Amino acid sequence: MKNKYFEWINNNLLNTWYNTIITIFVSFFLFKITKSMILWFSSVSWEVIPRNLKLILTGSYPVGELWRIWVILGVAAFLAGVSYSLLKKGITGTALFLIIIPGSFAFLNFSSGSRIWLIILSILQIFGYLFARYIAGEKSKTVIIIGWVLFLPFMYLFISGFTSSEGILPIVKTNYWGGLLLSMLISITSIIFSFIIGLMLALGRRSELPVIKYFSIGVIETIRGVPLITLLFLGYLVLPLALPSSVTPGVLIRAMSGIILFHSAYMAESIRGGFQGLPKTQYEAAYAMNFNKFQSLVLIILPQVIKNIIPILVNSLTGMVKDTSLISIIGLLDLVGISTAIAANPKYLGDSPQVLLFLSVIYFILCFSISQTSRKIEAGMNYDNKEAAK
Amino acid sequence: MHLTKFNDDRVIKIAGQFIFAAFLIMIMSSMYGNTIAALTKRGMLPGFKFLSLAAGIDIGEHLISFNNSSSNLRAIVVGLLNTLSISILAIVFSTALGLFIGLCRLSKNWLVKNIALVYIEVIRNIPLLVLLLFWYRAVFMGLPHIKEAITIGKFQTSDGFTGARLFFSNRGMVLAWPTIGTGWSSYIYIIIGAIAISVIFGIYLNYRGKITGRKPMTLVWSFLLFSILCFIGWLLTPEAPLVMEYPQLKGFNTTGGLSISSEWGSLFSGLILYTSAFIAEAIRAGIQGVDKRQVEAARSLGLNSFQTTRLIVLPQALRITIPPLTSIYLGVAKNTSLGVAIGFPDLFSVVGTLINQTGRVLELILVVMVIYLTLSLSTSLIMNIYNRRIQLEEK
């Protein structure tokens, strides 16, 4: 056993004389950096994070209504649990990780209410999985599709509320939404809408009709040529001018319109890549089966294209989450906006590094898990394609 | 019968396009009408005359002279030059860093390989804005005040002030920088001569290469020759062509040397960190994308490791790397617009200030979009030409 470790070190760290030197140097610097980081960690006060945790996660969403967000998370956990049943080899490492994470957070020093909710999130995922496996069975696919489609409107309705202040779901105005909640809401909504617009633009760009084709090309290339922030300002400042004076869109919608416009152009190009990746024989086969253009598009081409670009779509969600941070520039209190607000608070003078580090960790966990999921899906699809080719 | 059907199809197509165009024009004209109405209400009819009026703002960093009585147009040009200069510098440095990290990622040393992997994964999954704010708020703002600035190579000047090779404070960095000395006017002829000689040498090398059939390293040898000639010329010039100018601390200000503001520093460092991770990934993909059998074939033909890399791997890796690299470079120019978050006066930030000052939303956003579009389109044109040159010519 000892020999094996020794062999590994010999092969990977000390295989040539210059690698040995590099290893020694790098280890030395790594040690130095780690040491100074640990020193820094222990020297600064981390009070600012727990004190502002609620603000960072949900902004100024009323404390009495926080249960709504937990319910939304619970529904998402249940749907996620049901979705795990689609995995071919049963529960995989990733799914297990997602199940364990909320439960393990319950051991941290949160309020008792939050701890119970966190445990419930874990249990709901397991329950969803078992429900799909043993009760719904074959029908679980329908449950998944309908569930996720209804999830977005349900989420909005639940978070914004619709009754007066005496009712069960009093209205919470959008300017109370903030932090991670706002970032995620905008990301998820924007990706759905930009997919729809992107699909239309991609189809337009492939169209034989010159007017539609050049219109789509013009829109896509213009948007891809300018930074997101100009579009954000366009949505924020110019959109209210361009709409009839009777319509006054809220700040959230104005901000989102810029993000959606921006990402739909990039999405259109991804989708176009998906169209180009499809073998020509598929079109010819559809034509030979006497399908007309519309039928072959909807029944033959699109399902395959969408399936092929699912990994790209999931991956573009990371870009969306990252780009959402820009809304703080136009004054919305998303994760970054909240951090700026905390930095401006004289009580937390000089605590900016800790807050920004915490933000980075949140963003990293979000984006890294999304991109890993996309890789997993891609690997699974390559496996499927190889199986089909056999 | 076939003919009539064809005709029908065409009629539908034309009618469809016509309806689409009419619909589009309707929406556009209604939006335009609304905008004009809203602007008229504010008493501001769109027009570009305001560009020649005085801007009345101060811009901290300007490459061309600028004060608060300069025109709005000049302010935009100042912003554009800031954007261009920082983009070009960031592209050069992040390409170098990205190349280094990309090669580390392919290293056989486990430690080096995994440090590069962690670097790439961490940086790619954090928004650029957070990185910038981190540099600005945590690094630069955390530095001491100018009075207690971190100094390297401190000395006392004859008139009693503190001079140093480098001052590092929360206002940024001031470092010693060469300035033109008395020998410059004669040295410039040596540089011109050196350029001419190395260009002729390069042409000769290419000519030799065509005869012998061996690809010469024209750029490397010409550049080497150029450097040697310049170095000899430096020694031969009686007075030094360039003199080091050391910054001095006078009261709360520094004079002399090259001054880099903390805004510039944050934007530059943030951009380099962020972009290099993406470039590293593109370079790794490019090199790994070269078929292993190509290397094996080259080695079995008797090429050594250096020749294999130069003649077989790099040209093919470049083909794979150029298209993603193009979009990364375009991204850098666009990402400089995030300077607005930390107060660096790039194009967008200047325009943002002008929007606040003049209220000319529509015109100013249009100007910014047109400038960025021109930049993007011209860059991608150049990169496409280069790309076409290095792509495989398939017969």
Side-chain angles (χ1 to χ4, degrees), chain A residues 30-46 357:
Chain A
L30 210 60
F31 172 73
K32 277 267 180 188
I33 292 170
T34 321
K35 195 180 149 196
S36 57
M37 260 168 50
I38 290 172
L39 279 177
W40 179 78
F41 259 84
S42 48
S43 68
V44 295
S45 139
W46 290 87
L357 205 65

Side-chain angles (χ1 to χ4, degrees), chain B residues 141-172:
Chain B
M141 290 295 116
L143 288 170
H145 187 258
I146 183 82
K147 275 282 167 195
E148 289 102 41
I150 302 167
T151 50
I152 294 176
K154 203 168 171 179
F155 62 88
Q156 287 293 323
T157 56
S158 51
D159 41 356
F161 292 113
T162 316
R165 284 176 193 281
L166 182 128
F167 286 104
F168 210 28
S169 72
N170 60 4
R171 253 197 259 160

